[in-house]
Amino acid sequence: MSVETAGPSRAARQDAFFQALCFSAAMVLMATLAGLLVALVIGGWPALAHFGPKFFISAAWDPVAEDYGAAGPIVGTLVTAGLAMVMALPLAVGIAVFLVEFCPSVLAKYVSMAVELLAGIPSIVYGMWGLFVLAPWFALHVQLPLFYVVDPDSFWGHLFEGIPNGANIFTAAMILAIMVLPYIATVLRELLLSVPTHVREAAYGMGCTPYEVVSKIMLPYIRRSAIGAVMLGLGRALGETMAVTFIIGNSHEFPRSLFASGSTIASTIANEFAEASSDLHVSALLALGLVLFVITFAALVGARLLIGREKA
């Protein structure tokens, strides 16, 4: 009798210990997140209280005069991340579809390895490549021809105006697109592989073309989960620091064109945190960190709402 009751008792203790361990891991994560948020609020509150709403709408950033505004970095963050997603998402979908549907199995393994290798390259390497290779090439072959061809008083002239040195909002977005591309492509590839084989074969059996199978069957099948892949790339683009710092030009002014120098929240913090000498300067940088936290959280909430609508 004692042998029969010892087994379940031991199993119950193991199960209780396992549940407590999992609960502790979840609580550590939540406590870390809450501690980060509290630290940012406390550290950034002096700047937010000093400048008020002006902090979010002013592009001034003058450490000498102790005048700080977050509008330039906020707009630079949103524009570069948005452009990066516009550039990276179609390429990621194309890569994923090619690997799943059209690429020979022998070649698919090596292409997949190359895509995953891009994800492992340190961001500072992307930044150095952007500064020494992409920026000079872009200035010589894109900016200078447009500078001589486009009327400076036209819409396109205002859109592409800027110093032709290759360091601008657009090239920073290109670097970000290259960086987020492997993350999105890899996740989309795994999602497309999850589409049941009999569903695809049934579509082909009905006479559907590969384009129809992909666009009408496979992509709608993974649409809900694909939002998570896009958010993964967007989160990386919003918070990227070193690669953007190398090539964006690091100007705190409000960006008025695609080829204008600018800054992001992350690049501003990276450039100035070590040299911040006054309490208000440090507080302004922490307030920028809080703004980035809120932007990223808002993006995640938006993704959850989209997923909820898809489920409905």
Side-chain angles (χ1 to χ4, degrees):
M1 179 67 67
S2 60
V3 175
E4 293 178 357
T5 57
S9 176
R10 181 181 179 183
R13 288 196 302 268
Q14 289 177 341
D15 187 58
F17 175 76
F18 180 69
Q19 291 184 21
L21 192 63
C22 294
F23 177 78
S24 300
M27 290 301 101
V28 167
L29 176 63
M30 296 301 296
T32 302
L33 183 63
L36 176 62
L37 179 59
V38 170
L40 290 174
V41 171
I42 294 175
W45 182 252
L48 296 176
H50 180 80
F51 296 107
K54 177 187 173 184
F55 182 77
F56 302 100
I57 60 176
S58 171
W61 193 272
D62 188 355
V64 177
E66 295 280 36
D67 187 13
Y68 303 104
I74 290 175
V75 173
T77 299
L78 297 177
V79 171
T80 53
L83 287 174
M85 298 305 297
V86 169
M87 290 185 251
L89 187 55
L91 290 175
V93 173
I95 292 171
V97 170
F98 172 74
L99 290 174
V100 173
E101 281 294 303
F102 306 113
C103 186
S105 57
V106 177
L107 182 60
K109 179 174 66 174
Y110 298 102
V111 176
S112 299
M113 289 176 58
V115 173
E116 293 170 0
L117 178 63
L118 285 175
I121 297 176
S123 61
I124 194 170
V125 175
Y126 281 110
M128 294 175 64
W129 176 79
L131 179 64
F132 295 113
V133 178
L134 177 62
W137 179 90
F138 190 84
L140 181 62
H141 297 283
V142 178
Q143 282 190 273
L144 281 176
L146 286 175
F147 182 79
Y148 289 113
V149 172
V150 177
D151 182 5
D153 296 325
S154 66
F155 167 78
W156 298 108
H158 291 296
L159 183 64
F160 296 138
E161 68 179 353
I163 301 173
N165 58 4
N168 52 62
I169 293 284
F170 190 80
T171 49
M174 292 175 65
I175 292 292
L176 287 178
I178 296 172
M179 295 182 67
V180 304
L181 176 61
Y183 293 93
I184 303 176
T186 300
V187 176
L188 288 179
R189 173 179 173 270
E190 296 301 323
L191 291 175
L192 290 175
L193 288 173
S194 69
V195 178
T197 304
H198 66 271
V199 174
R200 295 157 57 193
E201 291 177 349
Y204 282 119
M206 294 175 61
C208 294
T209 64
Y211 170 77
E212 291 172 333
V213 171
V214 171
S215 61
K216 305 296 185 182
I217 305 296
M218 298 179 68
L219 292 181
Y221 188 90
I222 67 167
R223 180 170 51 195
R224 226 173 37 220
S225 300
I227 296 175
V230 174
M231 288 302 106
L232 176 66
L234 179 60
R236 176 71 189 271
L238 287 171
E240 178 51 44
T241 305
M242 294 310 301
V244 175
T245 303
F246 270 87
I247 199 171
I248 199 170
N250 297 306
S251 170
H252 295 293
E253 295 182 1
F254 190 86
R256 302 186 182 278
S257 70
L258 291 179
F259 293 166
S261 297
S263 63
T264 63
I265 295 175
S267 68
T268 301
I269 296 173
N271 273 325
E272 301 192 14
F273 203 87
E275 300 177 358
S277 56
S278 67
D279 293 339
L280 189 59
H281 193 180
V282 173
S283 180
L285 294 174
L286 289 171
L288 282 179
L290 178 63
V291 172
L292 182 58
F293 184 96
V294 172
I295 291 174
T296 306
F297 182 77
L300 294 177
V301 170
R304 297 302 302 176
L305 292 176
L306 286 175
I307 293 174
R309 289 182 61 185
E310 292 292 335
K311 288 182 179 179

